[in-house]
Amino acid sequence: MVHRQDQDPLFSLTLPRSWFRSSVQSRLPERVATTVQLMRGTVVLRLLGTREQTAPTLPTLDFTGRLQANGTIDQGQGRLRWPEGSLESVEVSQALDGSYQLQKSGLRGVLNPAKNSLGVVHEALLWFGLGRLLRRGSSIEQTVTLVREESTPGLLSGTLALTEEREELLKLRDEAVMARRLRYRASGLGYPKERERGTLWLGPQGEVLKGDLIPSFVATAAMAPEKNDPAFVLKTLESGQWRAEQGGNGWTVTHSEGKLEAELDFERRLRRLTSRLTGTPLSAEWDGTALRYAYPSLLPKFATVPEGGVALFLASLFLPEPVAGLAVGQKRPVLLLPLVTGDELALSGELTRLPDSPKKTRRYRLTLDGGTIAELENDALGLVRLTSNGALSATRKP
């Protein structure tokens, strides 16, 4: 049974950026700081994070672990919920041979359109859907919500603000086309600075022919219907051939190399898509108010406890004794399972019991793979403080 909430201690906790998914590390500080609450039952440990008002871009943490009667880890789960609504998790379970299986879920979440946005457009579908969303001939700035995939699983959502300037003749490889010239401004999408502002050209069907936003995307001619086929095709210099076919319920858009398949309504608004543009399959669906997306679960990894050692959750370090019965001067090999969703799912190391402090609190030294050395001070209530030579630290609040 878990203690009442008012009896569960609060801690200031900082975690290394390297413990998180690689695709989000660039937008995280080196030390990811949060507040967590330790909830301890007879066999369950839980570190529950709080939403930091001063750090609205950081995830909320929820680490739960179950212990066997002898204190050995049985199973656990770490969940990270990001402010934009995406969720990821890692589950840990002990195998029959004593090793641990670590299974990361695929990232999944919800992306809401920006305020006053005309619609949500996937970056790869800009060529077909952008022009139909915009009011033709308007000199007023118009905004769409743009979604783009990262090289590792993850989606970026931002805005693309466009202002129509004029019509002009655009020379492509195979023909000259009278095109609509638009000035754009992109934000929140992670483009290089030199591509955040520039020009786009739209063809007669509203298709994107060329632009500074994606320099590698250049059409060879305007989009045209295929012979004897109710479909339009757009050939590009480097991106292969895109095909859009109209059916009874709207449009189906495909790529010649099988990189993407999408369903759009008659107004060319996204309904659902399956993408393999980054090598990791993505599925997404518009539910009428937001875009829901999901990546598949990753292959499980396995970690073995060092001989004579014990497996620990991050929450285990917050107990009065991280390893029960360790005498002063005694060392014990450990396998630390942080339950954070980065590549460092399991860290081997060693826990040493140091002489007690003058205040009679227990002291420990924890060394981990990668060179992290941490010192812990614990009393009868649990962890008092943890300091290290890196980003890992924790302090119990009064």
Side-chain angles (χ1 to χ4, degrees):
M1 183 175 178
V2 176
H3 294 170
R4 293 201 322 270
Q5 186 169 340
D6 59 2
Q7 295 178 334
D8 297 324
L10 290 170
F11 297 85
S12 297
L13 173 67
T14 65
L15 300 176
R17 178 171 56 193
S18 61
W19 284 10
F20 292 81
R21 176 168 45 93
S22 57
S23 62
V24 301
Q25 290 181 17
S26 62
R27 57 180 187 263
L28 291 177
E30 183 178 354
R31 300 168 182 264
V32 180
T34 186
T35 298
V36 295
Q37 188 171 37
L38 176 66
M39 289 178 276
R40 181 185 175 191
T42 53
V43 295
V44 175
L45 290 176
R46 187 180 188 189
L47 280 180
L48 180 61
T50 60
R51 171 65 63 211
E52 298 289 333
Q53 299 300 322
T54 57
T57 61
L58 300 182
T60 301
L61 313 177
D62 187 355
F63 305 150
T64 303
R66 182 178 295 275
L67 306 179
Q68 298 177 15
N70 61 0
T72 303
I73 287 177
D74 181 29
Q75 60 185 2
Q77 183 185 63
R79 292 162 57 93
L80 276 65
R81 184 176 295 278
W82 295 86
E84 73 275 10
S86 60
L87 178 69
E88 54 186 321
S89 66
V90 57
E91 294 187 0
V92 176
S93 58
Q94 189 175 29
L96 294 176
D97 63 359
S99 64
Y100 288 88
Q101 176 177 300
L102 301 108
Q103 176 71 66
K104 284 199 291 186
S105 72
L107 184 69
R108 58 191 182 277
V110 178
L111 292 177
N112 293 296
K115 187 177 180 180
N116 299 323
S117 167
L118 297 175
V120 176
V121 185
H122 187 284
E123 181 188 57
L125 296 171
L126 268 177
W127 72 270
F128 186 65
L130 180 61
R132 286 298 180 93
L133 293 177
L134 302 177
R135 292 182 291 273
R136 187 184 182 102
S138 174
S139 59
I140 300 174
E141 184 178 80
Q142 304 175 68
T143 301
V144 298
T145 299
L146 187 61
V147 175
R148 65 187 297 251
E149 298 178 48
E150 298 182 281
S151 56
T152 51
L155 285 182
L156 289 175
S157 175
T159 57
L160 186 66
L162 303 112
T163 303
E164 189 164 341
E165 294 185 322
R166 60 180 180 271
E167 288 193 3
E168 63 183 24
L169 194 64
L170 178 65
K171 293 183 178 180
L172 301 174
R173 190 192 70 180
D174 296 340
E175 67 175 348
V177 180
M178 187 58 69
R180 296 159 58 192
R181 176 185 173 123
L182 293 91
R183 183 175 68 253
Y184 76 81
R185 175 171 47 85
S187 61
L189 291 157
Y191 288 114
K193 192 171 184 63
E194 64 271 14
R195 289 165 52 191
E196 289 181 345
R197 293 173 180 266
T199 304
L200 288 172
W201 287 268
L202 301 182
Q205 304 291 330
E207 74 277 25
V208 174
L209 299 173
K210 181 182 177 181
D212 300 322
L213 188 69
I214 310 173
S216 62
F217 187 95
V218 181
T220 61
M223 184 172 69
E226 285 189 314
K227 293 180 179 179
N228 304 318
D229 198 334
F232 287 90
V233 295
L234 184 74
K235 298 178 180 179
T236 65
L237 294 177
E238 297 183 19
S239 305
Q241 177 174 293
W242 291 90
R243 185 175 188 273
E245 181 174 349
Q246 186 173 355
N249 296 315
W251 293 88
T252 299
V253 180
T254 56
H255 187 266
S256 57
E257 298 175 4
K259 294 180 179 180
L260 183 140
E261 181 174 339
E263 296 178 21
L264 289 74
D265 64 18
F266 289 111
E267 297 301 318
R268 304 186 187 180
R269 297 178 186 272
L270 179 64
R271 283 178 174 165
R272 61 185 62 87
L273 68 82
T274 301
S275 169
R276 301 173 187 83
L277 292 169
T278 65
T280 303
L282 163 70
S283 59
E285 184 168 357
W286 177 255
D287 68 2
T289 60
L291 186 68
R292 297 185 176 274
Y293 67 90
Y295 289 91
S297 295
L298 305 181
L299 293 174
K301 294 185 178 181
F302 295 87
T304 302
V305 181
E307 185 175 355
V310 61
L312 302 176
F313 290 130
L314 184 63
S316 304
L317 304 180
F318 291 71
L319 298 176
E321 293 183 272
V323 175
L326 205 62
V328 173
Q330 189 176 1
K331 300 178 180 181
R332 190 81 181 269
V334 296
L335 179 71
L336 181 66
L337 306 176
L339 297 182
V340 189
T341 55
D343 294 331
E344 299 180 2
L345 293 175
L347 299 166
S348 297
E350 185 177 73
L351 186 70
T352 303
R353 173 81 182 272
L354 303 176
D356 291 349
S357 73
K359 297 180 181 179
K360 304 302 181 182
T361 55
R362 299 183 183 88
R363 296 173 57 242
Y364 300 88
R365 178 180 294 117
L366 175 66
T367 60
L368 296 173
D369 289 344
T372 297
I373 302 175
E375 292 203 359
L376 292 72
E377 182 182 346
N378 301 56
D379 61 15
L381 296 177
L383 181 70
V384 177
R385 66 182 57 86
L386 182 156
T387 59
S388 77
N389 61 347
L392 180 62
S393 68
T395 303
R396 190 168 73 205
K397 294 189 174 186

